[in-house]
Amino acid sequence: MCGIVGVIDSKDCQKIVFEGLKKLQYRGYDSAGICLKNDKGLHTYKTKGTIDSLIKKSPEIKDAYVAIGHTRWATHGEVSEKNAHPITSLNGEWAIVHNGIIENFEELKDNLVKEGHVFKTETDSEVIASLLSLKNFKNDVENLIWATKKLKGSYAFCAMKNDKERSIFIAKNKSPLYIYCKDNTSIVASDPICFPEGEYYKMEDLEFAQVSQSEVIFYNIKGEKIIKQPITNMAVMQDVSKNGYEHFMLKEIYETPEALQNLYTNLKDYDFSKIKKWWINKVKLIGCGTAFHSCLMGARFFKKFLKIDAEAITASEFRYDYEILDSTTLCIFVSQSGETADTIAAAEKAKKFTKKIISLTNVAHSTLASISSITLPISAGPEIAVASTKAYCCQVAALYLLANAFTEKRFDKALKKIKRLSNILERFYVNLGKFAFDIAGENSIFFIGRGADYVTALEGALKLKEISYINCNAFAAGELKHGVLTLIEKETPVIVIATDKKIIEKTMNSAFEAKARGAKLYLITALPPHLVNIEKFEMCLSLPNVDKDLICVLTTIPLQLLAYNVAVMKGNNPDMPRNLAKAVTVE
Ligand code: G6P
């Protein structure tokens, strides 16, 4: 899983590749590389780590006219300079950058080794460079199609040849690939955010192209030329700065009230008439990671407000499990990026059974949006930090609105509540330094809650583990006694989320069972002190009492801040945690 960029430009191709790669780091940042072509041949530079390290390492090649670049999230082969892309064929004739997974690479590799190929990397991608160098067709496009036909799996790749031609050859299946070609500059990239304003082309599966400086020729798998229509670029990425904050994550947490305000503005006049006409028997909500947690919250809203059977499922499970779907099933896919491979594949599966597909995404031009019947914008604005924060809050709020959108009166009320929440949030940002200091040195932390608080506990634990690298686990409070208590030792931190008055005694019982076995308890609550036995806790964070269905948004924010503070105290970069990527575009 990775980001790829290819550029043909006589003046600035190195700069354009670097700029593009920086924007694509949300797809991974384990290693990076660039291969540049000038009249002297191909020049490749690679490094472990981010694009900034690559820029430092690469000499400026002013006369380069073609370049391909890559930012990697390792799937096959360890994170190393050797396994970084671009990868060149053994004979030095081809260089490639690849995004995706070649599923039959072992079989292809075995055959190539038998033919005398020696592999220099541990990647699946190297078979592409080897296959390209195998035959000597008169036409390079024939070569491209012949080699690609051998591949199984997902791929978007750019290949360039060690000759003097100003061309890049590209192929796509399941991984995204786009082309911009204007004013003697051509750019190929995994995301149109790399392009200037103007028109661009979207490659479809099993399409191929030869991209030159001022022309793109498209081919189908039979090698026939095809005509494609350009689309207008809506995806130009604003230059997002940290705006005085030390990290994007902190800035994004603080942007939540504004993001909720935008959601309010964008959805207040949204036309839900199509959705209202649907006959719906049950609702499935599907997502990954943080988005899955918003699905869990969303399922609660649908059950409560519509009294309908609703269930949240992680996309990777939905893809292969026994899902009972029919034309009356509403499937809601939630994805900040809209590019998560599991979520997209799950949506493709759902489409075979039902036309009632809604996606909630933060990226209007995303693949998920393009395959859904209806897309609701979550309106969070650009989210750069890997750990999702404001987008989660907007997803939960958008699902709350959607579940209330079936009657006008309800929807109006729900809208007002979102607006009020956004106002309250503006005045609610707490200092969690002491709390963070207390837990930063721990190896294991538990989060517990019931109902919506359990979902918040799951999200709090995920946030903390993602960026602090502490083993954090969340449990339904009532489940502690069914196994987890064995893990409670003297001073084990247990963070209790308790905002629901109806079941407060039950949650407290579970917390005190843990305390009786030595746990240190921390409390996040919106309930008055006499209901929560405050003296039994090391620390208690009191929240303002907002609407009971939306308090889950408010509760999440201190947990995000806690995770941020702990990560910073531990010297971790909260924006780019190890081994993760913002959008996981492979299975
Ligand atoms: C990755 C990110 C998570 C994110 C998840 C789903 O795992 O590290 O922060 O929640 O993908 O991403 P999506 O873009 O589909 O919401």
Side-chain angles (χ1 to χ4, degrees), residues 488-507:
I488 301 289
E489 294 175 348
K490 194 165 179 312
E491 310 259 284
T492 303
V494 175
I495 299 175
V496 183
I497 328 281
T499 63
D500 190 345
K501 197 170 163 188
K502 276 202 320 286
I503 46 172
I504 187 64
E505 282 162 12
K506 309 285 173 202
T507 309

Side-chain angles (χ1 to χ4, degrees), residues 18 43 47 71 113 143 154 172 252 259 283 307 333 349 365 382 403 415 449 484:
F18 287 149
H43 310 270
T47 182
T71 180
V113 167
N143 201 9
S154 57
K172 177 223 172 330
E252 288 158 7
V283 185
K307 309 272 176 288
F333 293 88
K349 173 175 172 177
H365 67 275
L415 268 172
V484 187

Side-chain angles (χ1 to χ4, degrees), residues 86 99 135 146 162 201 322 324 345 357 396 408 419 426 495:
N99 164 214
K135 296 269 174 191
W146 176 86
N162 192 357
Y201 297 93
Y322 309 109
I324 317 273
I357 309 269
V396 171
E408 227 157 89
K419 196 159 182 4
E426 272 189 23
I495 299 175

Side-chain angles (χ1 to χ4, degrees), residues 287-292 334-341 343 360-361 368 383 385-389 391 395 459 462-463 466 577 580-584:
C288 300
T290 289
F292 169 63
V334 182
S335 171
Q336 187 283 132
S337 62
E339 295 299 341
T340 301
T343 311
L360 262 72
T361 170
L368 183 62
E383 196 182 61
V386 165
S388 186
T389 55
Q395 286 163 358
E459 177 54 13
L462 175 62
K463 216 71 334 177
E466 271 182 312
L580 298 183
K582 181 127 192 92
V584 182

Side-chain angles (χ1 to χ4, degrees), residues 301-307 400-417 549:
F301 296 145
F302 276 91
K303 285 192 272 193
K304 179 170 178 185
F305 302 129
L306 289 183
K307 309 272 176 288
Y400 173 77
L401 288 174
L402 180 60
N404 279 295
F406 291 80
T407 58
E408 227 157 89
K409 220 166 131 197
R410 266 225 161 109
F411 185 65
D412 286 347
K413 256 189 166 168
L415 268 172
K416 282 188 194 130
K417 286 186 181 174
D549 295 312

Side-chain angles (χ1 to χ4, degrees), residues 463-489:
K463 216 71 334 177
L464 187 55
K465 82 174 84 144
E466 271 182 312
I467 60 173
S468 72
Y469 317 147
I470 298 172
N471 183 11
C472 299
N473 290 294
F475 295 95
E479 276 295 291
L480 279 193
K481 57 187 179 290
H482 297 297
V484 187
L485 281 179
T486 60
L487 301 174
I488 301 289
E489 294 175 348

Side-chain angles (χ1 to χ4, degrees), residues 82-153:
K82 178 181 76 176
N83 289 334
H85 299 210
I87 295 171
T88 36
S89 60
L90 197 63
N91 63 7
E93 206 184 359
W94 286 91
I96 64 111
V97 286
H98 165 228
N99 164 214
I101 294 182
I102 307 300
E103 282 163 7
N104 60 337
F105 87 97
E106 302 219 30
E107 181 195 330
L108 291 170
K109 193 167 171 177
D110 286 349
N111 292 338
L112 286 157
V113 167
K114 279 184 205 139
E115 295 196 31
H117 277 252
V118 178
F119 281 77
K120 297 172 289 180
T121 75
E122 293 143 3
T123 65
D124 53 332
S125 315
E126 191 170 354
V127 296
I128 304 174
S130 301
L131 286 168
L132 285 169
S133 68
L134 206 60
K135 296 269 174 191
N136 228 342
F137 292 104
K138 266 201 280 40
N139 181 335
D140 287 327
V141 171
E142 258 180 88
N143 201 9
L144 172 78
I145 297 175
W146 176 86
T148 309
K149 276 183 176 168
K150 307 256 174 229
L151 308 175
K152 285 193 191 133

